[in-house]
Short mmCIF file of all heavy atoms in Angstrom, two decimals:
data_model
loop_
_atom_site.label_atom_id
_atom_site.label_comp_id
_atom_site.label_asym_id
_atom_site.label_seq_id
_atom_site.Cartn_x
_atom_site.Cartn_y
_atom_site.Cartn_z
N ASP A 426 -59.77 195.37 226.57
CA ASP A 426 -59.13 196.33 225.68
C ASP A 426 -60.14 197.17 224.91
O ASP A 426 -59.88 198.34 224.60
CB ASP A 426 -58.20 195.60 224.71
CG ASP A 426 -57.00 194.98 225.41
OD1 ASP A 426 -56.68 195.42 226.55
OD2 ASP A 426 -56.38 194.07 224.84
N MET A 427 -61.29 196.61 224.59
CA MET A 427 -62.33 197.40 223.93
C MET A 427 -62.88 198.48 224.87
O MET A 427 -63.22 199.58 224.43
CB MET A 427 -63.46 196.49 223.42
CG MET A 427 -63.05 195.61 222.25
SD MET A 427 -62.46 196.54 220.79
CE MET A 427 -60.67 196.45 221.02
N LYS A 428 -62.95 198.18 226.16
CA LYS A 428 -63.34 199.21 227.13
C LYS A 428 -62.31 200.33 227.15
O LYS A 428 -62.66 201.51 227.15
CB LYS A 428 -63.48 198.58 228.53
CG LYS A 428 -63.87 199.58 229.60
CD LYS A 428 -64.05 198.90 230.95
CE LYS A 428 -64.44 199.91 232.02
NZ LYS A 428 -64.63 199.26 233.35
N HIS A 429 -61.05 199.94 227.17
CA HIS A 429 -59.95 200.91 227.15
C HIS A 429 -60.02 201.77 225.88
O HIS A 429 -59.88 203.00 225.94
CB HIS A 429 -58.63 200.14 227.21
CG HIS A 429 -57.43 200.98 227.52
ND1 HIS A 429 -56.24 200.45 227.96
CD2 HIS A 429 -57.21 202.32 227.43
CE1 HIS A 429 -55.36 201.41 228.13
NE2 HIS A 429 -55.91 202.55 227.82
N LEU A 430 -60.26 201.12 224.75
CA LEU A 430 -60.36 201.83 223.47
C LEU A 430 -61.48 202.86 223.51
O LEU A 430 -61.32 204.02 223.08
CB LEU A 430 -60.59 200.82 222.34
CG LEU A 430 -60.50 201.36 220.92
CD1 LEU A 430 -59.05 201.45 220.47
CD2 LEU A 430 -61.29 200.47 219.96
N ALA A 431 -62.64 202.44 224.01
CA ALA A 431 -63.80 203.33 224.08
C ALA A 431 -63.52 204.52 224.97
O ALA A 431 -63.96 205.65 224.69
CB ALA A 431 -65.02 202.56 224.57
N GLN A 432 -62.81 204.31 226.06
CA GLN A 432 -62.51 205.40 226.98
C GLN A 432 -61.54 206.40 226.40
O GLN A 432 -61.54 207.57 226.78
CB GLN A 432 -61.99 204.82 228.30
CG GLN A 432 -63.06 204.08 229.08
CD GLN A 432 -62.52 203.31 230.28
OE1 GLN A 432 -61.32 203.04 230.36
NE2 GLN A 432 -63.39 202.96 231.20
N ILE A 433 -60.71 205.98 225.45
CA ILE A 433 -59.80 206.89 224.77
C ILE A 433 -60.53 207.69 223.69
O ILE A 433 -60.40 208.91 223.60
CB ILE A 433 -58.62 206.13 224.14
CG1 ILE A 433 -57.71 205.55 225.22
CG2 ILE A 433 -57.82 207.02 223.19
CD1 ILE A 433 -56.64 204.61 224.69
N PHE A 434 -61.31 207.00 222.87
CA PHE A 434 -61.86 207.61 221.67
C PHE A 434 -63.28 208.14 221.83
O PHE A 434 -63.77 208.86 220.96
CB PHE A 434 -61.84 206.60 220.52
CG PHE A 434 -60.48 206.34 219.95
CD1 PHE A 434 -59.71 205.29 220.41
CD2 PHE A 434 -59.96 207.16 218.95
CE1 PHE A 434 -58.44 205.05 219.89
CE2 PHE A 434 -58.70 206.92 218.42
CZ PHE A 434 -57.93 205.87 218.90
N GLY A 435 -63.96 207.78 222.90
CA GLY A 435 -65.34 208.20 223.06
C GLY A 435 -65.49 209.71 223.19
O GLY A 435 -64.62 210.39 223.75
N GLY A 436 -66.60 210.22 222.66
CA GLY A 436 -66.89 211.65 222.74
C GLY A 436 -68.31 211.89 223.18
O GLY A 436 -69.02 210.97 223.61
N ALA A 437 -68.76 213.12 223.06
CA ALA A 437 -70.11 213.49 223.48
C ALA A 437 -71.15 212.89 222.55
O ALA A 437 -70.93 212.79 221.34
CB ALA A 437 -70.24 215.02 223.49
N ARG A 438 -72.26 212.53 223.11
CA ARG A 438 -73.34 211.93 222.33
C ARG A 438 -73.82 212.87 221.22
O ARG A 438 -74.20 212.42 220.12
CB ARG A 438 -74.52 211.58 223.24
CG ARG A 438 -75.63 210.78 222.57
CD ARG A 438 -76.76 210.49 223.55
NE ARG A 438 -76.29 209.81 224.73
CZ ARG A 438 -76.10 208.51 224.83
NH1 ARG A 438 -76.34 207.73 223.78
NH2 ARG A 438 -75.68 207.97 225.97
N THR A 439 -73.77 214.15 221.47
CA THR A 439 -74.25 215.13 220.49
C THR A 439 -73.15 215.61 219.55
O THR A 439 -73.41 216.45 218.68
CB THR A 439 -74.86 216.34 221.22
OG1 THR A 439 -73.87 216.89 222.10
CG2 THR A 439 -76.09 215.93 222.00
N GLY A 440 -71.94 215.12 219.72
CA GLY A 440 -70.82 215.54 218.89
C GLY A 440 -70.62 214.64 217.69
O GLY A 440 -71.45 213.78 217.38
N PRO A 441 -69.50 214.80 216.98
CA PRO A 441 -69.21 213.93 215.83
C PRO A 441 -69.13 212.47 216.26
O PRO A 441 -68.78 212.16 217.40
CB PRO A 441 -67.84 214.44 215.35
CG PRO A 441 -67.77 215.85 215.83
CD PRO A 441 -68.48 215.85 217.15
N PRO A 442 -69.42 211.55 215.35
CA PRO A 442 -69.48 210.12 215.71
C PRO A 442 -68.10 209.48 215.84
O PRO A 442 -67.11 209.94 215.28
CB PRO A 442 -70.26 209.50 214.55
CG PRO A 442 -70.04 210.45 213.41
CD PRO A 442 -69.91 211.81 214.00
N PHE A 443 -68.10 208.40 216.59
CA PHE A 443 -66.94 207.51 216.75
C PHE A 443 -67.34 206.18 216.15
O PHE A 443 -68.16 205.45 216.68
CB PHE A 443 -66.60 207.39 218.24
CG PHE A 443 -65.66 206.27 218.61
CD1 PHE A 443 -64.62 205.88 217.79
CD2 PHE A 443 -65.81 205.62 219.84
CE1 PHE A 443 -63.76 204.86 218.14
CE2 PHE A 443 -64.96 204.60 220.21
CZ PHE A 443 -63.93 204.22 219.37
N TYR A 444 -66.78 205.85 214.97
CA TYR A 444 -67.08 204.61 214.27
C TYR A 444 -66.03 203.55 214.59
O TYR A 444 -64.83 203.85 214.64
CB TYR A 444 -67.10 204.83 212.75
CG TYR A 444 -68.16 205.78 212.27
CD1 TYR A 444 -67.82 207.03 211.75
CD2 TYR A 444 -69.51 205.44 212.32
CE1 TYR A 444 -68.79 207.90 211.30
CE2 TYR A 444 -70.49 206.32 211.86
CZ TYR A 444 -70.12 207.55 211.36
OH TYR A 444 -71.09 208.41 210.92
N VAL A 445 -66.48 202.32 214.79
CA VAL A 445 -65.57 201.19 215.03
C VAL A 445 -65.88 200.08 214.06
O VAL A 445 -67.03 199.63 213.96
CB VAL A 445 -65.68 200.66 216.48
CG1 VAL A 445 -64.71 199.49 216.68
CG2 VAL A 445 -65.38 201.77 217.49
N THR A 446 -64.87 199.64 213.32
CA THR A 446 -64.96 198.45 212.48
C THR A 446 -64.25 197.33 213.21
O THR A 446 -63.02 197.31 213.30
CB THR A 446 -64.31 198.69 211.10
OG1 THR A 446 -65.02 199.74 210.43
CG2 THR A 446 -64.35 197.43 210.25
N LEU A 447 -65.02 196.41 213.79
CA LEU A 447 -64.45 195.29 214.55
C LEU A 447 -64.11 194.12 213.64
O LEU A 447 -64.82 193.82 212.68
CB LEU A 447 -65.44 194.81 215.61
CG LEU A 447 -65.57 195.62 216.90
CD1 LEU A 447 -66.63 194.97 217.79
CD2 LEU A 447 -64.25 195.74 217.63
N PHE A 448 -63.00 193.45 213.97
CA PHE A 448 -62.60 192.19 213.34
C PHE A 448 -62.50 192.31 211.81
O PHE A 448 -62.98 191.44 211.08
CB PHE A 448 -63.58 191.06 213.68
CG PHE A 448 -63.81 190.84 215.15
CD1 PHE A 448 -65.08 190.57 215.64
CD2 PHE A 448 -62.76 190.90 216.05
CE1 PHE A 448 -65.31 190.35 217.00
CE2 PHE A 448 -62.98 190.68 217.41
CZ PHE A 448 -64.25 190.41 217.88
N THR A 449 -61.88 193.38 211.31
CA THR A 449 -61.82 193.52 209.87
C THR A 449 -61.13 192.31 209.24
O THR A 449 -60.17 191.78 209.79
CB THR A 449 -61.11 194.83 209.45
OG1 THR A 449 -61.34 195.06 208.06
CG2 THR A 449 -59.61 194.80 209.71
N GLU A 450 -61.67 191.85 208.12
CA GLU A 450 -61.19 190.65 207.42
C GLU A 450 -61.29 189.41 208.31
O GLU A 450 -60.47 188.49 208.24
CB GLU A 450 -59.75 190.85 206.93
CG GLU A 450 -59.59 192.03 206.01
CD GLU A 450 -58.17 192.23 205.50
OE1 GLU A 450 -57.24 191.60 206.03
OE2 GLU A 450 -57.99 193.04 204.56
N PHE A 451 -62.34 189.36 209.15
CA PHE A 451 -62.47 188.30 210.14
C PHE A 451 -62.52 186.91 209.54
O PHE A 451 -62.23 185.92 210.23
CB PHE A 451 -63.74 188.53 210.99
CG PHE A 451 -65.03 188.34 210.23
CD1 PHE A 451 -65.62 187.09 210.14
CD2 PHE A 451 -65.64 189.41 209.59
CE1 PHE A 451 -66.82 186.91 209.43
CE2 PHE A 451 -66.82 189.24 208.89
CZ PHE A 451 -67.40 188.00 208.80
N SER A 452 -62.87 186.79 208.26
CA SER A 452 -62.94 185.45 207.67
C SER A 452 -61.57 184.85 207.43
O SER A 452 -61.46 183.70 207.00
CB SER A 452 -63.73 185.49 206.35
OG SER A 452 -63.10 186.31 205.39
N THR A 453 -60.50 185.61 207.73
CA THR A 453 -59.14 185.06 207.69
C THR A 453 -58.64 184.68 209.08
O THR A 453 -57.51 184.23 209.23
CB THR A 453 -58.14 186.07 207.07
OG1 THR A 453 -58.02 187.21 207.93
CG2 THR A 453 -58.60 186.51 205.69
N TYR A 454 -59.46 184.85 210.13
CA TYR A 454 -59.01 184.55 211.48
C TYR A 454 -58.97 183.06 211.80
O TYR A 454 -58.10 182.62 212.55
CB TYR A 454 -59.89 185.25 212.51
CG TYR A 454 -59.80 186.77 212.53
CD1 TYR A 454 -59.09 187.48 211.57
CD2 TYR A 454 -60.45 187.50 213.52
CE1 TYR A 454 -59.02 188.86 211.59
CE2 TYR A 454 -60.39 188.89 213.55
CZ TYR A 454 -59.67 189.56 212.58
OH TYR A 454 -59.61 190.94 212.62
N PRO A 455 -59.91 182.24 211.29
CA PRO A 455 -59.81 180.80 211.56
C PRO A 455 -58.62 180.18 210.81
O PRO A 455 -58.06 180.78 209.89
CB PRO A 455 -61.14 180.24 211.04
CG PRO A 455 -62.03 181.41 210.85
CD PRO A 455 -61.14 182.56 210.54
N CYS A 456 -58.29 178.96 211.16
CA CYS A 456 -57.19 178.26 210.49
C CYS A 456 -57.52 177.95 209.03
O CYS A 456 -56.62 177.87 208.19
CB CYS A 456 -56.85 176.97 211.24
SG CYS A 456 -56.14 177.28 212.89
N VAL A 457 -58.80 177.75 208.73
CA VAL A 457 -59.25 177.62 207.34
C VAL A 457 -60.05 178.88 207.01
O VAL A 457 -61.06 179.16 207.65
CB VAL A 457 -60.12 176.36 207.14
CG1 VAL A 457 -60.62 176.29 205.70
CG2 VAL A 457 -59.32 175.11 207.48
N ASP A 458 -59.57 179.61 206.01
CA ASP A 458 -60.16 180.92 205.70
C ASP A 458 -61.46 180.80 204.93
O ASP A 458 -61.64 179.89 204.12
CB ASP A 458 -59.19 181.74 204.85
CG ASP A 458 -57.94 182.15 205.59
OD1 ASP A 458 -57.88 182.00 206.83
OD2 ASP A 458 -57.01 182.62 204.94
N ASN A 459 -62.36 181.77 205.18
CA ASN A 459 -63.48 182.07 204.28
C ASN A 459 -64.52 180.96 204.13
O ASN A 459 -65.29 180.98 203.18
CB ASN A 459 -62.96 182.43 202.88
CG ASN A 459 -61.98 183.58 202.90
OD1 ASN A 459 -62.24 184.62 203.48
ND2 ASN A 459 -60.82 183.38 202.28
N GLU A 460 -64.58 180.00 205.06
CA GLU A 460 -65.54 178.89 204.97
C GLU A 460 -66.23 178.66 206.31
O GLU A 460 -65.58 178.30 207.30
CB GLU A 460 -64.84 177.60 204.54
CG GLU A 460 -64.28 177.63 203.14
CD GLU A 460 -63.60 176.32 202.76
OE1 GLU A 460 -63.63 175.36 203.58
OE2 GLU A 460 -63.03 176.26 201.66
#
């Protein structure tokens, strides 16, 4: 899916940037948060 995402949003190397914030709030993903 990240490959798919990049193929949709990717642009020219010399053009405006494409920023990706991966796994936002990732410390809530485990069953016990933030530890």
